[in-house]
Amino acid sequence: MSEPDIDFSLKETSPNLGGGRVSGSEKLTSSFDLVEQLHFLYVKMVRAKGLPPSPCNPFVEVKVGNYEGTTKSLENNPAPEWNQVFAFAKDRIQAVTVEITVRNKESSTNVDKVVGKLRFDIPDIPSRVPPDSPLAPQWYSLEDENGSKGERGELMLAIWMGTQADEAFPDAWHSDAASVNGESIANTRSKVYISPRLWYLRINIIQAQDLVPMNNKRIPQVYVKAMLGNMALRSRFSPDKSLNPTWNEDLMFVAAESFDDPLMLSVVDKLSDNKEEVLGSCSIHLSKVEKRLMPIPIEANWYNLEQSVQDNRNNKEVRFASRLHLRVCLDGGYHVLDESIYYSSDFRATSKFLWPPAIGVLELGILNASGLLPMKSKNGRGTTDAYCVAKYGPKWVRTRTIVNSFAPKWNEQYTWDVYDPYTVITIGVFDNCHLQKGSNAVDSQDRRIGKVRIRLSTLNTDRIYTLSYPLIVLEPNGVKKTGEIQLSVRFTCSSTWNLLQSYTQPLFPQMHYLLPLSVYQIESLRHQATHTLSSRLRRAEPPLQSEVVEYMLDVGSNVWSLRRGRANLERLLAAFNLLVEAWKWFDQIRKWKNPISTMAVHFLYSMLILFPDMILPLVFLMCVVHGASQYRKRPRHPPHMDTKLSLVESVQSDDFDEEFDTFPTSKNVKVLKKRYDRLRSIAGRMMTIIGDLATQAERLNSMLSWRDPRATSLFMAFCLIACIAFYLVPWRLFALGFGFFGMRHPRFRISIPSMPQNFFKRLPARTDSMI
């Protein structure tokens, strides 16, 4: 259970964007105008020359106050070249000089020999702001410890004051990560990743010919097994028990460009429960497979199946000429789903020829976080090494890691092209657990700190939103607020007409409607897509870990959760709240709580019946009036993670423990028995509700089915009388009478059920036929 005083609300902030040049109503197009300016002291080490002769293993040490960065050591190189940039945060600099020391790596002793030094006064360092050209490096003569220049060589470097808009910023060594050394430095840098383009690979298995089983006396029981990478699918068993089986079945994979893995197909004969025999196999390179954009027929081809069998009598290999008839194509007209449909960031087809024009630009400024909780222990105390990941469409961005800080400041800005306003950008915060060598597999998984989703259709165009979002995570022991993240967002529309027109277009490409996929196919293909993306992004440098990708893509969101089921039921009831309120209002009218209002409704109802042409205009006018009255109550901020809507504050800890249970379960029998009994009670209530609905539907059908001859006769007689009455009497009189009868005064009412209700409840249903 969560603490009652925890604040999960969204807060509006007023950061100093763009150095104080930007307000929420301005429309600027300059870069880094959605973040606060961070000033850095940049030192770029290029190369050295004229260093003392061998042994010469030079490296450079840059020291600014308590911060110290070093280049890599180059062995036996009197003219080394580093091309490395160091960035020191200006707000943490407590020194007045920059000390640059060239040292010689000594393998025999622990003390590295000083080759030469340079000193720069920080107030005299020039400033550089893009789009100014980069500062040209210059040669500087090295000095000894006494400040005299001798035959110590020269060092080419550039030193300047800049901001995070500098092009050297992403790949620079940062003083924020000064405690990280070696190869782990790469895991602290900010990077942009592009997801590989994903295609649906469709394999239509038609038939096989001339199969040769090892045992000719038995009828083969064959199926086709397909493999793409480490994904495997299989067809059903062929209904033809022959050597020329047929299937006419589709198998679908998710294939990623550049199609490195071939498609492997095998015809397998099932000999027994634990024994199978491969009757032949073939390999298809996807680069040679036809691509289609619409569901047009694809030409089928025969593929030779290869199987090598050793002939012991003649001591040679025998190859059989079996064949497999297939249609193989890459469907580029679909959008490959890697996210949930309800908060997807992209709906475009795979093929670029089917992409709509861009309607605008989304800009995101990741400013800072505050109040982060310690995520791990280092040297006996809690610490957090936080970084952010944002995903929209195929573009992923990762900020740099701020080491050992519970209030990190990133101030990094990114942009995306927008093709559909009904899309969601996801921002996640993680703790970097890949900065120390020798960590085990469990500790090396990046821990999730929280996630934020922003739907673009809830944003006003050309407005800057600066908000602080709560970071919330669910754990087996309940909900936890792990901090807050401050973001700035702006959605700029290039064409209002194109934006409004996008609301009338289909959500998915045409292929989804012309050749729809089943629910099972969608879930299976989404699992393949997330697995493919996580494996590809894990091989990048620095890698985007699988646990990060899966958390951003909401893998496992369809796992059973009693809490989520209750929340969805309450959402359904809240959606019908308007009908409930309308019925309450009408109930007050029909009970004459306010006689004046009741008489006014009688008059209005009479006018609508007498002038029916006014019904639809009045309905639409009421919608306009109601919408205009709600304008003042419109949301001022985009929605965020709602703990009350999700029921995370009002459920028991056992519900969370069940939600986070593995699949298959890892709980003991006692816990499983308790949960199973609870699930049975819930399912029993659902069974009763479904049974009641079925009973009412069967009663409706039985009115004319003659299951109860007297009831059917009465209903037919009523229908005959109603037919004559409605033919002779104008319908308006019936409508007036029905309305006035429904709104009659309570003194003319009785509490017992009406005649139609009594008749309907006596109609037979098939309940008595149930066992």
Side-chain angles (χ1 to χ4, degrees):
M1 298 293 292
S2 61
E3 297 295 335
D5 57 345
I6 297 179
D7 185 11
F8 293 104
S9 63
L10 191 68
K11 303 181 183 68
E12 190 168 2
T13 59
S14 300
N16 187 27
L17 300 182
R21 299 178 292 106
V22 182
S23 65
S25 60
E26 291 183 358
K27 179 181 178 180
L28 298 180
T29 58
S30 61
S31 60
F32 291 89
D33 61 338
L34 294 186
V35 294
E36 297 178 319
Q37 278 192 358
L38 294 180
H39 295 274
F40 292 89
L41 168 62
Y42 289 98
V43 182
K44 181 178 181 180
M45 292 298 162
V46 183
R47 60 178 181 265
K49 67 178 181 180
L51 299 180
S54 59
C56 186
N57 306 318
F59 68 95
V60 180
E61 178 184 276
V62 183
K63 188 174 183 180
V64 181
N66 295 327
Y67 295 101
E68 181 180 301
T70 59
T71 66
K72 57 185 177 181
S73 176
L74 302 178
E75 296 183 0
N76 298 323
N77 192 346
E81 186 170 344
W82 295 283
N83 287 315
Q84 188 171 346
V85 181
F86 299 87
F88 298 88
K90 186 178 179 181
D91 58 351
R92 297 188 179 184
I93 295 177
Q94 299 179 353
V96 295
T97 61
V98 179
E99 296 183 5
I100 300 175
T101 305
V102 180
R103 294 181 179 272
N104 186 41
K105 190 72 173 179
E106 298 289 345
S107 58
S108 58
T109 62
N110 293 329
V111 179
D112 298 325
K113 180 181 178 181
V114 176
V115 178
K117 290 185 176 183
L118 290 174
R119 287 184 178 86
F120 295 90
D121 293 330
I122 293 179
D124 297 333
I125 295 176
S127 297
R128 183 247 171 178
V129 179
D132 293 348
S133 299
L135 208 63
Q138 299 182 30
W139 286 105
Y140 295 89
S141 298
L142 296 174
E143 302 173 352
D144 59 14
E145 296 182 358
N146 298 323
S148 60
K149 298 180 180 179
E151 299 295 331
R152 296 186 174 272
E154 294 179 284
L155 185 62
M156 176 182 279
L157 61 89
I159 183 168
W160 71 96
M161 286 288 185
T163 65
Q164 72 268 39
D166 202 294
E167 60 269 11
F169 177 82
D171 295 324
W173 174 95
H174 287 271
S175 58
D176 294 331
S179 60
V180 181
N181 298 311
E183 298 179 356
S184 299
I185 294 178
N187 291 320
T188 66
R189 292 172 178 160
S190 58
K191 285 295 178 181
V192 175
Y193 307 85
I194 301 297
S195 300
R197 193 186 305 181
L198 302 179
W199 295 73
Y200 282 154
L201 174 64
R202 186 186 296 270
I203 307 137
N204 178 232
I205 306 171
I206 304 173
Q207 63 177 335
Q209 246 183 27
D210 302 330
L211 297 180
V212 183
M214 295 296 294
N215 186 0
N216 295 325
K217 296 180 181 180
R218 60 178 295 275
I219 298 176
Q221 188 178 8
V222 296
Y223 67 90
V224 176
K225 180 180 179 181
M227 288 195 64
L228 183 66
N230 54 2
M231 288 289 177
L233 296 176
R234 51 164 292 178
S235 70
R236 67 180 187 278
F237 288 103
S238 174
D240 302 328
K241 307 296 184 180
S242 67
L243 300 181
N244 299 301
T246 61
W247 289 275
N248 289 319
E249 182 179 354
D250 281 356
L251 299 180
M252 294 190 69
F253 286 96
V254 173
E257 292 184 352
S258 54
F259 306 128
D260 297 329
D261 297 322
L263 173 64
M264 306 296 297
L265 295 166
S266 304
V267 179
V268 182
D269 182 14
K270 186 176 180 61
L271 303 177
S272 62
D273 292 339
N274 299 320
K275 188 176 180 181
E276 294 179 340
E277 175 193 0
V278 178
L279 302 183
S281 61
C282 65
S283 174
I284 302 175
H285 293 282
L286 299 187
S287 57
K288 301 178 182 179
V289 171
E290 182 179 354
K291 299 176 181 178
R292 68 173 182 177
L293 307 183
M294 297 297 290
I296 57 176
I298 297 295
E299 182 180 357
N301 295 312
W302 287 98
Y303 296 88
N304 293 327
L305 297 176
E306 297 183 358
Q307 182 189 31
S308 297
V309 179
Q310 192 73 25
D311 189 349
N312 296 324
R313 293 175 297 176
N314 300 322
N315 194 21
K316 63 179 182 180
E317 284 187 344
V318 178
R319 294 182 179 270
F320 300 105
S322 303
R323 298 193 302 172
L324 189 61
H325 202 199
L326 305 170
R327 290 188 183 95
V328 184
C329 67
L330 290 165
D331 283 334
Y334 289 101
H335 167 69
V336 178
L337 289 168
D338 56 354
E339 303 167 290
S340 173
I341 297 176
Y342 302 109
Y343 30 82
S344 179
S345 62
D346 193 11
F347 294 101
R348 291 174 295 168
T350 297
S351 175
K352 288 186 176 181
F353 297 105
L354 302 178
W355 287 5
I359 61 174
V361 175
L362 173 65
E363 299 168 273
L364 173 68
I366 304 175
L367 301 176
N368 56 67
S370 60
L372 298 184
L373 299 180
M375 304 302 295
K376 58 178 176 287
S377 178
K378 186 187 298 183
N379 298 327
R381 63 184 184 90
T383 183
T384 299
D385 306 324
Y387 69 93
C388 290
V389 175
K391 197 261 182 190
Y392 184 78
K395 181 179 177 181
W396 303 64
V397 299
R398 169 180 175 157
T399 66
R400 71 189 191 281
T401 300
I402 307 299
V403 178
N404 193 19
S405 176
F406 300 129
K409 295 182 179 181
W410 295 287
N411 284 295
E412 299 183 22
Q413 182 172 337
Y414 301 95
T415 62
W416 290 266
D417 289 330
V418 177
Y419 295 87
D420 194 318
Y422 187 72
T423 47
V424 175
I425 181 173
T426 304
I427 304 101
V429 186
F430 302 89
D431 176 49
N432 197 332
C433 297
H434 292 79
L435 303 182
Q436 303 295 329
K437 294 182 178 180
S439 59
N440 55 47
V442 176
D443 293 337
S444 62
Q445 288 192 352
D446 290 351
R447 294 177 174 86
R448 58 187 68 172
I449 299 178
K451 181 166 55 178
V452 173
R453 298 192 195 102
I454 303 175
R455 186 173 294 279
L456 271 62
S457 58
T458 62
L459 303 177
N460 292 329
T461 56
D462 304 325
R463 175 186 168 184
I464 298 176
Y465 293 84
T466 54
L467 301 167
S468 180
Y469 290 84
L471 295 173
I472 306 170
V473 293
L474 289 180
E475 295 181 347
N477 57 355
V479 63
K480 179 185 294 186
K481 181 180 179 181
T482 55
E484 295 185 358
I485 182 172
Q486 187 174 353
L487 304 173
S488 59
V489 185
R490 177 172 57 199
F491 174 36
T492 305
C493 177
S494 57
S495 172
T496 304
W497 172 254
N498 291 338
L499 175 62
L500 297 178
Q501 191 180 24
S502 66
Y503 281 83
T504 65
Q505 301 300 316
L507 188 62
F508 289 98
Q510 294 183 11
M511 197 81 159
H512 286 266
Y513 308 100
L514 299 178
L515 192 62
L517 303 174
S518 66
V519 176
Y520 172 77
Q521 284 179 314
I522 291 175
E523 290 297 327
S524 174
L525 293 171
R526 185 191 170 196
H527 171 73
Q528 294 185 41
T530 54
H531 177 78
T532 302
L533 284 181
S534 62
S535 62
R536 283 292 187 94
L537 295 176
R538 191 175 62 243
R539 287 160 30 194
E541 184 62 36
L544 205 57
Q545 302 299 328
S546 298
E547 62 271 15
V548 175
V549 176
E550 292 175 357
Y551 182 60
M552 296 292 291
L553 297 178
D554 280 292
V555 175
S557 59
N558 56 349
V559 176
W560 160 255
S561 170
L562 183 61
R563 171 194 61 83
R564 197 179 292 117
R566 292 173 179 169
N568 289 334
L569 179 60
E570 293 197 5
R571 288 173 54 206
L572 182 63
L573 297 177
F576 289 100
N577 185 56
L578 184 62
L579 298 178
V580 175
E581 293 297 328
W583 172 253
K584 290 180 179 179
W585 171 81
F586 180 72
D587 190 58
Q588 292 181 352
I589 293 297
R590 61 192 292 266
K591 291 180 178 179
W592 292 69
K593 296 290 185 181
N594 187 340
I596 298 178
S597 298
T598 303
M599 294 301 296
V601 171
H602 277 75
F603 174 76
L604 180 61
Y605 181 75
S606 302
M607 296 301 295
L608 291 178
I609 295 300
L610 296 176
F611 302 97
D613 295 341
M614 296 298 296
I615 294 178
L616 288 180
L618 185 60
V619 169
F620 289 114
L621 179 62
M622 291 178 62
C623 292
V624 173
V625 172
H626 179 72
S629 65
Q630 295 295 314
Y631 181 76
R632 291 185 177 180
K633 302 177 183 179
R634 69 190 187 277
R636 303 293 178 177
H637 309 302
H640 66 292
M641 302 286 188
D642 194 334
T643 56
K644 293 182 179 179
L645 178 67
S646 305
L647 300 183
V648 295
E649 300 179 88
S650 57
V651 297
Q652 301 297 325
S653 58
D654 185 63
D655 292 339
F656 285 115
D657 188 58
E658 180 182 11
E659 187 173 339
F660 282 88
D661 193 8
T662 58
F663 191 86
T665 182
S666 58
K667 300 299 180 181
N668 57 47
V669 177
K670 184 178 180 180
V671 175
L672 290 180
K673 183 178 178 181
K674 177 182 176 182
R675 293 177 180 174
Y676 177 66
D677 291 340
R678 181 177 61 181
L679 189 61
R680 289 177 64 192
S681 64
I682 297 173
R685 290 194 293 268
M686 295 297 297
M687 179 188 66
T688 303
I689 294 173
I690 295 173
D692 290 341
L693 293 176
T695 299
Q696 307 310 319
E698 289 171 353
R699 285 174 176 172
L700 194 64
N701 292 331
S702 65
M703 285 194 285
L704 293 173
S705 66
W706 294 92
R707 292 196 63 193
D708 185 343
R710 287 167 294 277
T712 302
S713 301
L714 287 173
F715 182 69
M716 291 177 63
F718 167 77
C719 291
L720 181 60
I721 297 173
C723 175
I724 298 173
F726 275 99
Y727 179 76
L728 297 177
V729 181
W731 68 270
R732 295 180 182 179
L733 294 180
F734 279 104
L736 282 174
F738 181 78
F740 288 163
F741 180 79
M743 294 183 290
R744 67 191 183 279
H745 197 276
R747 70 176 59 182
F748 300 111
R749 298 177 185 274
I750 55 178
S751 300
I752 62 176
S754 63
M755 185 183 300
Q757 288 178 305
N758 295 331
F759 176 78
F760 185 78
K761 289 182 179 180
R762 291 177 181 274
L763 291 173
R766 304 180 66 182
T767 310
D768 49 350
S769 300
M770 294 283 293
I771 299 177

